Amino acid sequence: DAVDRVRALGPHWDRSAGRDHIVLLSHDEGGCWAPRGVAANAIILSHWGRMDAQPHSSSRYMADNWESDWKSSIRAPDGAVWSFEGGSRRMIGHHPCYDPAKDIVVPVFKPPSALTSSPFLRPPGSPSPPRKTLAYFSGNLAGNEPAKYSRGIRHRLVAAFRGKDGWRLVGNRGGDYGRDLSTSEFCIVPPGGDGWSSR
């Protein structure tokens, strides 16, 4: 159990039942994977502030699906063996993926070289490019995806706004992504098949 391992390192967890501990969960679905003992009290840093009352995994990749009950041992990056006695669902339990009263959403890292067209990286004094697009999205437009994908949001986005004036919905990564972002008023970031997104 994750809490037992931390408690074995010293008295710090027990002083506050973990309320003064910060845990980074960079997994695709963020805090959804947190063991219930950690999720209950520790401050979770995650890229995804998912606040569903009854969260369900939206990952298409079985290894990322926290609702699957993993029972077999796997090798950890440091060479140790992680085992899920009684299954991973027993370890995770049922809890919100994000608690706005204690958890913090942090952006994912994107190197400056990936955003060369960003208006924030232009030389001082140079003019901003005109923002000709009202709303922009580039990614999987869900044309061949089941309704569960993106919780149906991308399907509805395309049905309602594709081809409308001011809207630019591009399948996959079209053109110069940084330029397209910098010439848009709003950049749409709907969920996809997984929680992780660097947008």
Side-chain angles (χ1 to χ4, degrees):
D1 181 83
V3 174
D4 290 340
R5 288 189 67 161
V6 172
R7 291 175 81 190
L9 297 173
H12 314 292
W13 183 272
D14 289 333
R15 275 194 322 231
S16 65
R19 282 187 277 287
D20 58 358
H21 283 60
I22 298 173
V23 178
L24 172 64
L25 289 168
S26 58
H27 190 274
D28 275 356
E29 298 214 25
C32 301
W33 261 103
R36 67 175 167 265
V38 172
N41 294 322
I43 298 165
I44 294 176
L45 299 181
S46 172
H47 65 286
W48 200 16
R50 184 174 176 184
M51 295 175 42
D52 305 35
Q54 298 291 323
H56 294 285
S57 178
S58 63
S59 179
R60 293 183 294 171
Y61 306 104
M62 286 312 298
D64 291 344
N65 186 330
W66 54 271
E67 288 188 293
S68 295
D69 200 11
W70 298 99
K71 293 181 171 26
S72 58
S73 297
I74 59 171
R75 178 122 352 244
D78 66 357
V81 174
W82 289 338
S83 60
F84 302 102
E85 294 178 22
S88 60
R89 291 301 303 152
R90 181 171 171 236
M91 174 189 77
I92 295 170
H94 295 281
H95 59 77
C97 298
Y98 169 77
D99 179 350
K102 67 174 185 64
D103 299 336
I104 300 170
V105 174
V106 294
V108 297
F109 174 75
K110 196 86 164 161
S113 61
L115 302 170
T116 56
S117 299
S118 169
F120 300 109
L121 298 177
R122 70 183 187 278
S126 62
S128 297
R131 295 183 180 262
K132 298 177 181 176
T133 302
L134 173 65
Y136 171 76
F137 171 70
S138 178
N140 184 343
L141 297 177
N144 298 312
E145 301 290 353
K148 177 185 176 190
Y149 179 80
S150 81
R151 301 179 199 155
I153 295 171
R154 292 187 188 200
H155 304 79
R156 293 191 301 270
L157 184 70
V158 169
F161 298 108
R162 189 171 213 174
K164 300 271 183 175
D165 285 344
W167 285 78
R168 185 153 184 243
L169 305 175
V170 179
N172 301 315
R173 282 282 163 101
D176 183 336
Y177 190 63
R179 182 204 62 223
D180 292 342
L181 289 173
S182 69
T183 57
S184 301
E185 290 289 336
F186 300 98
C187 299
I188 309 298
V189 188
D194 312 295
W196 190 91
S197 175
S198 61
R199 292 187 182 92

